[in-house]
Amino acid sequence: MTRRLLPSGEAALLVECDSLDEVLALHDALEAARPDGVVELVPAARTLLVAVDPGRMPLESAATWVRRIPAEAGSRVAGAHADAVRIPVVYDGDDLAATAEVLDVSVDELVARHSGIEWRVAFGGFAPGFGYLVSEAWPFEVPRLEAPRPRVPAGSVAVAGAFGGVYPRQSPGGWRLLGRTAATLWDPASNDPAVLAPGRRVRFEQA
């Protein structure tokens, strides 16, 4: 696994990897052996930010820890987030039928594939509480809409590229809408505001 370490201010390191699989494997390995002084691990599509408290863990020590931790792409440490989030979905999205046609499957098969597998939050982004979901059991590369919608309702369950996601609030968006959920996935008043935090396991259940 390639790990390029770059300083990011006085209290963080940015680790560059070659693929999302490498990011996920490294995130899990670091989380499983997280020492005192590591404040936060923030994964993205090709990078992992390691934030530390320099008074407890100098950046030099953090860099040594990151370089030495064993991890290989495709290897995951199970149980970092043991309890899967279960999200009830009404599969009546505006793009459901068209997406099934694009993927050359029936609507029923698309719903069964989406709801019959376990997803994982790879990283967050786009909007507070939005998690980019991946699954080794999801076989599709879904084209985005040619023109994004100016308003996507909160709770919209969507797919694009190799990712799944749920819009936590109304916003513009170009992902294909498969359904909707009434689940609250972003609560800024909570101590743990983002339900779909990186590493979380997710199951969609047909409502």
Side-chain angles (χ1 to χ4, degrees):
M1 177 186 293
T2 303
R3 306 177 201 182
R4 294 174 291 273
L5 274 62
L6 303 172
S8 184
E10 298 179 353
L13 293 169
L14 187 68
V15 186
E16 293 184 335
C17 299
D18 286 338
S19 68
L20 178 56
D21 276 346
E22 289 189 0
V23 172
L24 296 179
L26 182 59
H27 174 272
D28 285 1
L30 294 176
E31 187 67 57
R34 185 167 168 172
D36 184 55
V38 175
V39 176
E40 191 174 14
L41 300 172
V42 185
R46 295 292 184 274
T47 61
L48 178 65
L49 186 72
V50 180
V52 302
D53 178 349
R56 292 184 289 161
M57 187 175 205
L59 280 181
E60 295 82 0
S61 300
T64 299
W65 172 61
V66 171
R67 288 191 183 99
R68 291 181 176 177
I69 204 81
E72 294 297 334
S75 65
R76 310 277 171 81
V77 178
H81 293 281
D83 296 329
V85 175
R86 297 189 176 272
I87 299 177
V89 181
V90 177
Y91 284 94
D92 62 355
D94 290 347
D95 303 315
L96 180 61
T99 302
E101 184 175 357
V102 166
L103 300 177
D104 196 26
V105 297
S106 68
V107 168
D108 287 345
E109 182 179 352
L110 179 55
V111 170
R113 285 179 176 264
H114 186 265
S115 61
I117 62 177
E118 184 172 273
W119 297 79
R120 171 210 169 108
V121 184
F123 55 92
F126 170 63
F130 187 91
Y132 286 79
L133 310 180
V134 296
S135 175
E136 295 177 354
W138 180 248
F140 302 118
E141 186 74 23
V142 183
R144 292 171 178 261
L145 297 176
E146 292 185 4
R149 291 182 171 88
R151 295 183 185 84
V152 177
S156 294
V157 177
V159 290
F163 298 104
V166 183
Y167 285 80
R169 62 183 183 182
Q170 179 177 284
S171 64
W175 289 32
R176 292 177 178 265
L177 309 184
L178 302 186
R180 54 192 165 88
T181 182
T184 299
L185 301 177
W186 172 251
D187 181 4
S190 171
N191 291 330
D192 188 13
V195 173
L196 299 183
R200 182 75 67 187
R201 295 159 49 225
V202 179
R203 284 273 189 181
F204 294 106
E205 299 180 337
Q206 188 170 2

PDB file of all heavy atoms in Angstrom, residues 154-175:
ATOM      1  N   ALA A 154     -35.128  16.340   1.260  1.00  0.00           N
ATOM      2  CA  ALA A 154     -34.448  15.655   2.366  1.00  0.00           C
ATOM      3  C   ALA A 154     -34.985  14.232   2.479  1.00  0.00           C
ATOM      4  O   ALA A 154     -36.182  13.986   2.315  1.00  0.00           O
ATOM      5  CB  ALA A 154     -34.673  16.402   3.670  1.00  0.00           C
ATOM      6  N   GLY A 155     -34.100  13.300   2.736  1.00  0.00           N
ATOM      7  CA  GLY A 155     -34.496  11.907   2.872  1.00  0.00           C
ATOM      8  C   GLY A 155     -34.485  11.121   1.581  1.00  0.00           C
ATOM      9  O   GLY A 155     -34.796   9.924   1.577  1.00  0.00           O
ATOM     10  N   SER A 156     -34.100  11.770   0.483  1.00  0.00           N
ATOM     11  CA  SER A 156     -34.048  11.065  -0.799  1.00  0.00           C
ATOM     12  C   SER A 156     -32.908  10.048  -0.792  1.00  0.00           C
ATOM     13  O   SER A 156     -31.770  10.371  -0.453  1.00  0.00           O
ATOM     14  CB  SER A 156     -33.847  12.056  -1.944  1.00  0.00           C
ATOM     15  OG  SER A 156     -34.969  12.898  -2.087  1.00  0.00           O
ATOM     16  N   VAL A 157     -33.227   8.825  -1.164  1.00  0.00           N
ATOM     17  CA  VAL A 157     -32.251   7.741  -1.243  1.00  0.00           C
ATOM     18  C   VAL A 157     -31.804   7.641  -2.694  1.00  0.00           C
ATOM     19  O   VAL A 157     -32.636   7.496  -3.594  1.00  0.00           O
ATOM     20  CB  VAL A 157     -32.862   6.415  -0.758  1.00  0.00           C
ATOM     21  CG1 VAL A 157     -31.880   5.272  -0.915  1.00  0.00           C
ATOM     22  CG2 VAL A 157     -33.313   6.549   0.693  1.00  0.00           C
ATOM     23  N   ALA A 158     -30.482   7.732  -2.932  1.00  0.00           N
ATOM     24  CA  ALA A 158     -30.009   7.914  -4.288  1.00  0.00           C
ATOM     25  C   ALA A 158     -28.752   7.112  -4.553  1.00  0.00           C
ATOM     26  O   ALA A 158     -28.091   6.620  -3.632  1.00  0.00           O
ATOM     27  CB  ALA A 158     -29.753   9.403  -4.539  1.00  0.00           C
ATOM     28  N   VAL A 159     -28.412   7.001  -5.846  1.00  0.00           N
ATOM     29  CA  VAL A 159     -27.183   6.330  -6.272  1.00  0.00           C
ATOM     30  C   VAL A 159     -26.542   7.140  -7.385  1.00  0.00           C
ATOM     31  O   VAL A 159     -27.229   7.831  -8.151  1.00  0.00           O
ATOM     32  CB  VAL A 159     -27.450   4.884  -6.756  1.00  0.00           C
ATOM     33  CG1 VAL A 159     -27.841   3.976  -5.609  1.00  0.00           C
ATOM     34  CG2 VAL A 159     -28.517   4.864  -7.845  1.00  0.00           C
ATOM     35  N   ALA A 160     -25.209   7.029  -7.473  1.00  0.00           N
ATOM     36  CA  ALA A 160     -24.455   7.658  -8.560  1.00  0.00           C
ATOM     37  C   ALA A 160     -23.065   7.046  -8.579  1.00  0.00           C
ATOM     38  O   ALA A 160     -22.456   6.844  -7.524  1.00  0.00           O
ATOM     39  CB  ALA A 160     -24.372   9.171  -8.380  1.00  0.00           C
ATOM     40  N   GLY A 161     -22.560   6.753  -9.773  1.00  0.00           N
ATOM     41  CA  GLY A 161     -21.271   6.089  -9.859  1.00  0.00           C
ATOM     42  C   GLY A 161     -21.341   4.750  -9.132  1.00  0.00           C
ATOM     43  O   GLY A 161     -22.281   3.982  -9.308  1.00  0.00           O
ATOM     44  N   ALA A 162     -20.347   4.505  -8.279  1.00  0.00           N
ATOM     45  CA  ALA A 162     -20.336   3.277  -7.478  1.00  0.00           C
ATOM     46  C   ALA A 162     -20.897   3.498  -6.090  1.00  0.00           C
ATOM     47  O   ALA A 162     -20.835   2.598  -5.243  1.00  0.00           O
ATOM     48  CB  ALA A 162     -18.905   2.752  -7.379  1.00  0.00           C
ATOM     49  N   PHE A 163     -21.475   4.685  -5.836  1.00  0.00           N
ATOM     50  CA  PHE A 163     -21.875   5.076  -4.489  1.00  0.00           C
ATOM     51  C   PHE A 163     -23.390   5.078  -4.298  1.00  0.00           C
ATOM     52  O   PHE A 163     -24.158   5.288  -5.237  1.00  0.00           O
ATOM     53  CB  PHE A 163     -21.361   6.487  -4.172  1.00  0.00           C
ATOM     54  CG  PHE A 163     -19.866   6.608  -4.180  1.00  0.00           C
ATOM     55  CD1 PHE A 163     -19.217   7.201  -5.252  1.00  0.00           C
ATOM     56  CD2 PHE A 163     -19.113   6.129  -3.120  1.00  0.00           C
ATOM     57  CE1 PHE A 163     -17.833   7.321  -5.262  1.00  0.00           C
ATOM     58  CE2 PHE A 163     -17.733   6.246  -3.121  1.00  0.00           C
ATOM     59  CZ  PHE A 163     -17.091   6.842  -4.189  1.00  0.00           C
ATOM     60  N   GLY A 164     -23.792   4.861  -3.051  1.00  0.00           N
ATOM     61  CA  GLY A 164     -25.145   5.121  -2.603  1.00  0.00           C
ATOM     62  C   GLY A 164     -25.110   6.270  -1.619  1.00  0.00           C
ATOM     63  O   GLY A 164     -24.055   6.658  -1.114  1.00  0.00           O
ATOM     64  N   GLY A 165     -26.282   6.826  -1.319  1.00  0.00           N
ATOM     65  CA  GLY A 165     -26.328   7.921  -0.366  1.00  0.00           C
ATOM     66  C   GLY A 165     -27.753   8.296  -0.026  1.00  0.00           C
ATOM     67  O   GLY A 165     -28.706   7.838  -0.673  1.00  0.00           O
ATOM     68  N   VAL A 166     -27.883   9.125   0.999  1.00  0.00           N
ATOM     69  CA  VAL A 166     -29.182   9.655   1.417  1.00  0.00           C
ATOM     70  C   VAL A 166     -29.003  11.153   1.652  1.00  0.00           C
ATOM     71  O   VAL A 166     -28.128  11.563   2.425  1.00  0.00           O
ATOM     72  CB  VAL A 166     -29.691   8.998   2.712  1.00  0.00           C
ATOM     73  CG1 VAL A 166     -31.085   9.537   3.050  1.00  0.00           C
ATOM     74  CG2 VAL A 166     -29.719   7.482   2.595  1.00  0.00           C
ATOM     75  N   TYR A 167     -29.804  11.964   0.984  1.00  0.00           N
ATOM     76  CA  TYR A 167     -29.718  13.408   1.165  1.00  0.00           C
ATOM     77  C   TYR A 167     -30.250  13.767   2.556  1.00  0.00           C
ATOM     78  O   TYR A 167     -31.434  13.546   2.842  1.00  0.00           O
ATOM     79  CB  TYR A 167     -30.527  14.125   0.099  1.00  0.00           C
ATOM     80  CG  TYR A 167     -29.888  14.135  -1.271  1.00  0.00           C
ATOM     81  CD1 TYR A 167     -29.963  13.023  -2.118  1.00  0.00           C
ATOM     82  CD2 TYR A 167     -29.194  15.257  -1.728  1.00  0.00           C
ATOM     83  CE1 TYR A 167     -29.377  13.029  -3.370  1.00  0.00           C
ATOM     84  CE2 TYR A 167     -28.600  15.275  -2.987  1.00  0.00           C
ATOM     85  CZ  TYR A 167     -28.701  14.156  -3.804  1.00  0.00           C
ATOM     86  OH  TYR A 167     -28.120  14.166  -5.052  1.00  0.00           O
ATOM     87  N   PRO A 168     -29.409  14.331   3.428  1.00  0.00           N
ATOM     88  CA  PRO A 168     -29.863  14.619   4.788  1.00  0.00           C
ATOM     89  C   PRO A 168     -30.739  15.860   4.897  1.00  0.00           C
ATOM     90  O   PRO A 168     -31.420  16.060   5.894  1.00  0.00           O
ATOM     91  CB  PRO A 168     -28.547  14.815   5.554  1.00  0.00           C
ATOM     92  CG  PRO A 168     -27.590  15.283   4.515  1.00  0.00           C
ATOM     93  CD  PRO A 168     -27.986  14.618   3.238  1.00  0.00           C
ATOM     94  N   ARG A 169     -30.702  16.703   3.864  1.00  0.00           N
ATOM     95  CA  ARG A 169     -31.542  17.897   3.846  1.00  0.00           C
ATOM     96  C   ARG A 169     -31.772  18.285   2.393  1.00  0.00           C
ATOM     97  O   ARG A 169     -31.104  17.794   1.487  1.00  0.00           O
ATOM     98  CB  ARG A 169     -30.872  19.039   4.606  1.00  0.00           C
ATOM     99  CG  ARG A 169     -29.544  19.483   4.020  1.00  0.00           C
ATOM    100  CD  ARG A 169     -28.915  20.576   4.864  1.00  0.00           C
ATOM    101  NE  ARG A 169     -27.675  21.058   4.266  1.00  0.00           N
ATOM    102  CZ  ARG A 169     -26.906  21.977   4.818  1.00  0.00           C
ATOM    103  NH1 ARG A 169     -27.246  22.499   5.994  1.00  0.00           N
ATOM    104  NH2 ARG A 169     -25.810  22.383   4.231  1.00  0.00           N
ATOM    105  N   GLN A 170     -32.718  19.190   2.159  1.00  0.00           N
ATOM    106  CA  GLN A 170     -32.984  19.611   0.783  1.00  0.00           C
ATOM    107  C   GLN A 170     -31.773  20.328   0.217  1.00  0.00           C
ATOM    108  O   GLN A 170     -31.187  21.190   0.867  1.00  0.00           O
ATOM    109  CB  GLN A 170     -34.198  20.547   0.756  1.00  0.00           C
ATOM    110  CG  GLN A 170     -34.533  21.051  -0.641  1.00  0.00           C
ATOM    111  CD  GLN A 170     -35.770  21.920  -0.654  1.00  0.00           C
ATOM    112  OE1 GLN A 170     -36.883  21.431  -0.559  1.00  0.00           O
ATOM    113  NE2 GLN A 170     -35.580  23.224  -0.764  1.00  0.00           N
ATOM    114  N   SER A 171     -31.403  19.942  -1.010  1.00  0.00           N
ATOM    115  CA  SER A 171     -30.251  20.566  -1.642  1.00  0.00           C
ATOM    116  C   SER A 171     -30.288  20.242  -3.131  1.00  0.00           C
ATOM    117  O   SER A 171     -31.025  19.359  -3.569  1.00  0.00           O
ATOM    118  CB  SER A 171     -28.955  20.047  -1.016  1.00  0.00           C
ATOM    119  OG  SER A 171     -28.808  18.662  -1.259  1.00  0.00           O
ATOM    120  N   PRO A 172     -29.485  20.924  -3.947  1.00  0.00           N
ATOM    121  CA  PRO A 172     -29.341  20.514  -5.340  1.00  0.00           C
ATOM    122  C   PRO A 172     -28.647  19.158  -5.403  1.00  0.00           C
ATOM    123  O   PRO A 172     -27.962  18.747  -4.461  1.00  0.00           O
ATOM    124  CB  PRO A 172     -28.457  21.623  -5.946  1.00  0.00           C
ATOM    125  CG  PRO A 172     -28.504  22.755  -4.984  1.00  0.00           C
ATOM    126  CD  PRO A 172     -28.716  22.147  -3.632  1.00  0.00           C
ATOM    127  N   GLY A 173     -28.801  18.465  -6.526  1.00  0.00           N
ATOM    128  CA  GLY A 173     -28.125  17.177  -6.640  1.00  0.00           C
ATOM    129  C   GLY A 173     -28.364  16.519  -7.985  1.00  0.00           C
ATOM    130  O   GLY A 173     -29.429  16.681  -8.584  1.00  0.00           O
ATOM    131  N   GLY A 174     -27.377  15.757  -8.430  1.00  0.00           N
ATOM    132  CA  GLY A 174     -27.468  15.075  -9.709  1.00  0.00           C
ATOM    133  C   GLY A 174     -27.494  13.567  -9.609  1.00  0.00           C
ATOM    134  O   GLY A 174     -27.326  12.870 -10.614  1.00  0.00           O
ATOM    135  N   TRP A 175     -27.685  13.037  -8.383  1.00  0.00           N
ATOM    136  CA  TRP A 175     -27.763  11.587  -8.212  1.00  0.00           C
ATOM    137  C   TRP A 175     -29.162  11.105  -8.609  1.00  0.00           C
ATOM    138  O   TRP A 175     -30.133  11.861  -8.588  1.00  0.00           O
ATOM    139  CB  TRP A 175     -27.472  11.219  -6.767  1.00  0.00           C
ATOM    140  CG  TRP A 175     -26.025  11.395  -6.372  1.00  0.00           C
ATOM    141  CD1 TRP A 175     -25.156  12.322  -6.848  1.00  0.00           C
ATOM    142  CD2 TRP A 175     -25.310  10.613  -5.425  1.00  0.00           C
ATOM    143  NE1 TRP A 175     -23.935  12.178  -6.262  1.00  0.00           N
ATOM    144  CE2 TRP A 175     -23.995  11.133  -5.379  1.00  0.00           C
ATOM    145  CE3 TRP A 175     -25.632   9.532  -4.614  1.00  0.00           C
ATOM    146  CZ2 TRP A 175     -23.013  10.606  -4.546  1.00  0.00           C
ATOM    147  CZ3 TRP A 175     -24.651   9.004  -3.786  1.00  0.00           C
ATOM    148  CH2 TRP A 175     -23.358   9.528  -3.758  1.00  0.00           C
TER     149      TRP A 175
END
